[in-house]
Amino acid sequence: MIKPPTEREPRDRTLESFEEIKRPDAGPRTAPVTGTHSVIGLQDLRQRIYATAKAEPEKRFWGLFVHVCKLETLRTAYILAKENNGAPGIDGVTFEDIEKAGVEAFLERIRDDLTSGQYMPSRNRRQEIPKANGKLRVLGIPTIRDRVAQGALKLILEPIFEADFQDCSYGYRPSRNAQDALHRVAVAIAEGKTKVIDIDLKAFFDNIRHHILFGMVAKRVDDDKIMRLLKLLLKAGGKRGVPQGGVISPLLANIYLNGLDKALEELRRKATYKNYISMQYARYADDGAPRSCTGDEGGPLGAGFQERAPNHPKLHGSKALVVSVGGKGMAATVSGEV
């Protein structure tokens, strides 16, 4: 007899993951400075931000921009960008070009542009790649310079919003992956939750509305310079949407969908009777799979879903698909816009 998978023991892997970021230098940590001020490394800073955000869910953070501009943050962002080894942006500059001219000078120019308020991102280079359904996915490829700026901003903002994200979200998050999402789904099926609604948000990244996103970020960030930099980076990709290919885009997408996660988690709580949970939900980026043991119109995913979810996603059945996952199981693929 095959033993069904069990839920993994919950733990705060996000805080653990902040300890895994490689420092850009191999030397020892800087010793604290005596007096009222101390030198804080990037890892320690991220851990402190996360712990504070977790403990104070209503807190708005200020004084963040100075940390974005630090050379340690920019170096780390550069290392992470280079590890991805992406194609050059619209300016054609490669990592080899930068390293021939000198990485430190490159990072110092970015720092100086940021601190002086003269930083202006370049337009993203558009690149089309084929999808499995025969359609094309349009990527917006930033220049390496802009990738470093985005990465530095992400390094400082990420621990704030990681404290707010729901446990059902798995895409592009520290110490989480698609296998974890699949495990949650496998556990739900083993428990008898075999009626599935697979939610696909149509052209999600292309349709994110900037004013809504800015409002969500501003609930946690009280720093005009951070907000200005974020607006500059987003407007480089157009008046709407976040570019697929941008370093900070996955974080912004998770911020935008966090309200949807909260709405479905609330439905999940209402679908709980004593110790039995009749609904489960997992999301990886813009794909979600709520699973229910009832699944009918009156169940937890009934007609009230669109009204309860933030931004009122427009769902339609143009890609409906019925498959069996065991017994009388049913899966419906639903696409929509936010």
Side-chain angles (χ1 to χ4, degrees), residues 5-8 13 167-173 175-188 282-285:
T6 57
E7 282 282 9
R8 296 172 180 173
R13 294 180 296 176
D167 191 53
C168 58
S169 170
Y170 292 91
Y172 310 113
R173 295 184 59 193
S175 297
R176 287 170 171 255
N177 53 43
Q179 286 70 33
D180 293 330
L182 289 173
H183 179 83
R184 188 180 181 108
V185 170
V187 171
R283 179 177 66 80
Y284 190 89

Side-chain angles (χ1 to χ4, degrees), residues 82-100:
K82 186 180 178 183
E83 286 178 352
N84 286 332
N85 196 29
I90 198 169
D91 61 359
V93 175
T94 65
F95 287 103
E96 291 76 12
D97 296 331
I98 293 169
E99 296 189 358
K100 284 180 183 178

Side-chain angles (χ1 to χ4, degrees), residues 60-64 217-224 226-227:
R60 297 181 70 207
F61 289 79
W62 58 275
L64 299 173
V217 174
K219 287 181 179 179
R220 283 299 234 160
V221 176
D222 185 15
D223 189 317
D224 291 341
I226 288 285
M227 298 304 296

Side-chain angles (χ1 to χ4, degrees), residues 2 20 23 55 63 65 69 101 103 114 120 140 142-143 173 178 184 194 197 208 210 223-224 261 266 301:
I2 299 176
E20 299 169 0
R23 299 180 70 231
F65 188 72
C69 301
V103 175
L114 288 170
M120 289 295 295
T143 64
R173 295 184 59 193
R184 188 180 181 108
T194 56
I197 296 181
I208 289 179
H210 290 175
D223 189 317
D224 291 341
D261 294 339
E266 179 62 24
L301 293 172

Side-chain angles (χ1 to χ4, degrees), residues 91 105 136 230 261 311:
D91 61 359
L136 294 174
L230 179 60
D261 294 339
N311 307 335

Side-chain angles (χ1 to χ4, degrees), residues 5 77 102 124 203 211 213 234 260 268-269 309:
N124 295 322
H211 69 285
L213 177 61
L234 284 184
L260 174 63
R268 178 175 174 268
R269 282 190 289 271

Side-chain angles (χ1 to χ4, degrees), residues 49 51 254:
I49 291 174
N254 279 330

